[in-house]
Amino acid sequence: MAETNDCAAQQAHEDASSVVAVITSPRALMRETLAGVLTALALIPEVISFSFVSGVTPIAALFSSVVLALAMSLLGGRPAMVTAAAGSVALVVGPMAKTYGVAYILPTVLLAGVIQIAFGAVGLARLTRFIPRSVMIGFVNSLGILIFLAQVPHVIGAPPAVYPLFALTLAIVLLAPRATTFIPAPLIAIVVVTAIAHFGGFAAPSVGGAAGALEPQMPGFTPFVAPLTLETLKIVWPTALSVALVGLLETLMTAKLVDEITQTRSSKRRESCALGVANFLAGVYGGVAGCAMIAQTIVNVKIGGGRSRISTAAAALTLLALVTVLNGLMSQIPLAALAAVMMIAAIKTFVWRSVAPATLERMPLSETCVLATTMAVTVATGNLAFGVGGGVLLAMALFARRVAHVIRVDRTLSDDGADVRYEVHGPLFFGSSNDLVDRFSYSLDPNRITVDFTHSQIWDASSVAALDAIEAKYRSDGRSVAFTGLDARSLAFHGRLTGQLQG
């Protein structure tokens, strides 16, 4: 615990130093601010589109995103990671809202926030360390595919005016860095294409058309209109638990990804607790929960170059300004321009090296299967949590199968033939212990048998049951067997369970 506290204190010091460094450097401050502006623009179409799925109004989802992004900028454990009203959470909340009504969204969000705080407080966020790299890469690749596919409807079958705007956006994003890298190329593209669409009279779908009328006003606190009864709790708790787990999984996976991109560390416990607080606040003022937005985080970190809390705070404040003061300007942004930017972000997100023929040739088949399963399940369901869960389960099964056959049992008969000694090598658990029972020559062994576990350990009840079975087989023929070499933990574990596992 002391080591964890020291690590958290060191990370807090590094965060503070990073913020001070940005504030005292005009160039760094400009980079972080522009990255935030670009990220805010990238947030708009996704937040609006998924507001209809969750059952809340676009303005409520946008204000919830402001609260989430600002709260996580102040409290979160992963600087530069963008948090807003996310599609994965909307997909969980939507069915409940359609069945019981939007009045139950607020208690669901509040309960989900409490669950996330508890999850972080007890340190369960550290479980992400057990997610295999193949699942992580599959997660990232799936994200890239989903981001790209989500933009296709804005381009395919669109009015003719969309295509020149789309092409111009791509050209600016790809060519502008040759002239300047001070201002993010996607930001230049969005400004230029919006101006051309407005003054050129292009009849192309825009943010205003997708969101409808956006009144420049603050929404106020979300009224709690659901009855405070046990029946309400029965309705909301399954959805709240799903929201909490899906939000945490996506957030912690994104934090791990940003750790790798920036080669810095983050506090997963702090991130979990902060997400719970942010969702609680977003529920009270806005009305809908959220989690890390992976695509927009990629835009902020990879395209915009954001590295500190300043970038995400700038994104929150920019989004607030666009919704309240500059809503007229925001409504005119062509969706084709935002789609082009997100498609480029999707291409940059995909780990192309992971599917290169040379990589697949060297990679073990089991790793490739885990990668493919994660991607297939995620793309098929549109749910990153399902994909990661499926990939982790397959990785566990393949690992257990592989480890189950690593034990080795060596048999040594004494010179006089009166004693036999077995040496067991390898870990004993539910997978490998079943093989152990069949490694002994019961009918050929003399009366005295010694089984040496110096090079092995007992890890579960299945292993103890296997040892009991071995002992019972020998004793049924009048032979004695002794187990030696167990380490202190294995010896205590065996002593506690032996003889207690038979029905």
Side-chain angles (χ1 to χ4, degrees):
M1 182 64 72
E3 185 177 347
T4 302
N5 292 336
D6 291 343
C7 183
Q10 182 180 353
Q11 289 174 351
H13 177 72
E14 292 173 356
D15 282 352
S17 300
S18 174
V19 171
V20 171
V22 169
I23 293 175
T24 55
S25 170
R27 185 175 184 85
L29 182 59
M30 180 61 71
R31 182 197 69 220
E32 297 288 319
T33 302
L34 292 177
V37 173
L38 175 62
T39 301
L41 295 174
L43 277 170
I44 293 169
E46 186 169 346
V47 170
I48 291 174
S49 63
F50 281 111
S51 67
F52 300 111
V53 176
S54 60
V56 300
T57 63
I59 197 70
L62 288 168
F63 269 103
S64 294
S65 299
V66 171
V67 174
L68 286 163
L70 196 56
M72 294 302 287
S73 297
L74 297 173
L75 305 174
R78 174 63 265 177
M81 188 169 72
V82 181
T83 303
S88 56
V89 173
L91 291 171
V92 175
V93 172
M96 184 209 65
K98 289 179 181 178
T99 302
Y100 299 101
V102 294
Y104 289 90
I105 294 180
L106 178 57
T108 300
V109 173
L110 297 180
L111 181 57
V114 172
I115 294 172
Q116 289 170 336
I117 293 172
F119 191 97
V122 299
L124 292 178
R126 288 174 293 181
L127 293 176
T128 54
R129 71 180 65 180
F130 298 113
I131 297 177
R133 180 168 179 78
S134 295
V135 175
M136 184 69 187
I137 295 175
F139 168 80
V140 174
N141 289 351
S142 303
L143 168 68
I145 295 172
L146 291 176
I147 295 171
F148 193 93
L149 294 177
Q151 312 311 314
V152 171
H154 298 306
V155 181
I156 303 299
V162 164
Y163 298 104
L165 297 176
F166 179 79
L168 180 59
T169 303
L170 290 178
I172 295 175
V173 171
L174 296 175
L175 298 177
R178 299 183 180 182
T180 179
T181 56
F182 185 68
I183 301 176
L187 184 57
I188 298 174
I190 292 172
V191 172
V192 171
V193 172
T194 300
I196 292 175
H198 177 67
F199 294 108
F202 283 77
S206 64
V207 170
L214 293 176
E215 296 295 332
Q217 61 182 10
M218 305 291 277
F221 292 102
T222 308
F224 196 114
V225 295
L228 281 172
T229 62
L230 187 60
E231 186 63 28
T232 296
L233 180 61
K234 291 180 180 178
I235 292 172
V236 303
W237 83 259
T239 304
L241 182 61
S242 297
V243 167
L245 295 180
V246 169
L248 280 171
L249 177 61
E250 194 157 336
T251 296
L252 296 175
M253 289 288 285
T254 306
K256 193 173 180 180
L257 174 62
V258 179
D259 289 350
E260 292 185 3
I261 294 174
T262 61
Q263 297 184 353
T264 56
R265 295 180 302 171
S266 61
S267 171
K268 306 302 187 295
R269 170 179 284 190
R270 178 177 173 181
E271 186 69 24
S272 298
C273 293
L275 182 62
V277 173
N279 274 326
F280 197 94
L281 295 175
V284 172
Y285 197 87
V288 66
C291 63
M293 303 283 281
I294 311 174
Q296 287 71 19
T297 297
I298 294 295
V299 170
N300 185 44
V301 175
K302 275 196 169 182
I303 299 178
R307 288 294 183 274
S308 74
R309 300 178 186 276
I310 301 296
S311 62
T312 48
L317 296 176
T318 300
L319 189 59
L320 178 62
L322 288 170
V323 174
T324 55
V325 180
L326 304 174
N327 64 312
L329 177 61
M330 179 183 70
S331 299
Q332 297 176 20
I333 299 175
L335 291 177
L338 297 176
V341 170
M342 295 307 295
M343 281 183 170
I344 292 177
I347 293 171
K348 288 179 176 288
T349 299
F350 198 94
V351 184
W352 295 99
R353 187 177 66 254
S354 66
V355 295
T359 301
L360 295 176
E361 186 177 346
R362 292 192 300 268
M363 192 69 64
L365 181 60
S366 60
E367 299 288 330
T368 303
C369 289
V370 171
L371 171 67
T373 299
T374 303
M375 293 175 60
V377 174
T378 302
V379 174
T381 62
N383 192 312
L384 291 165
F386 288 165
V388 171
V392 169
L393 288 176
L394 178 60
M396 290 170 59
L398 292 174
F399 175 78
R401 181 177 180 274
R402 190 163 58 246
V403 175
H405 302 291
V406 300
I407 63 167
R408 187 178 88 249
V409 179
D410 299 328
R411 181 177 183 269
T412 305
L413 188 65
S414 64
D415 294 337
D416 59 6
D419 301 273
V420 67
R421 182 181 185 83
Y422 288 92
E423 289 188 2
V424 180
H425 298 259
L428 294 176
F429 67 108
F430 62 90
S432 60
S433 57
N434 290 326
D435 284 353
L436 180 66
V437 178
D438 300 325
R439 301 293 182 91
F440 294 84
S441 303
Y442 299 100
S443 61
L444 301 178
D445 286 341
N447 289 332
R448 292 196 300 273
I449 302 100
T450 301
V451 184
D452 185 0
F453 292 95
T454 301
H455 305 290
S456 182
Q457 305 85 32
I458 297 174
W459 290 106
D460 61 8
S462 297
S463 303
V464 177
L467 298 190
D468 286 351
I470 293 168
E471 189 174 14
K473 283 191 175 187
Y474 279 120
R475 287 185 175 173
S476 66
D477 294 332
R479 299 183 179 96
S480 64
V481 59
F483 299 137
T484 64
L486 289 169
D487 59 46
R489 185 201 57 79
S490 297
L491 184 63
F493 188 81
H494 177 263
R496 187 166 69 250
L497 294 181
T498 184
Q500 307 297 318
L501 301 176
Q502 299 299 322

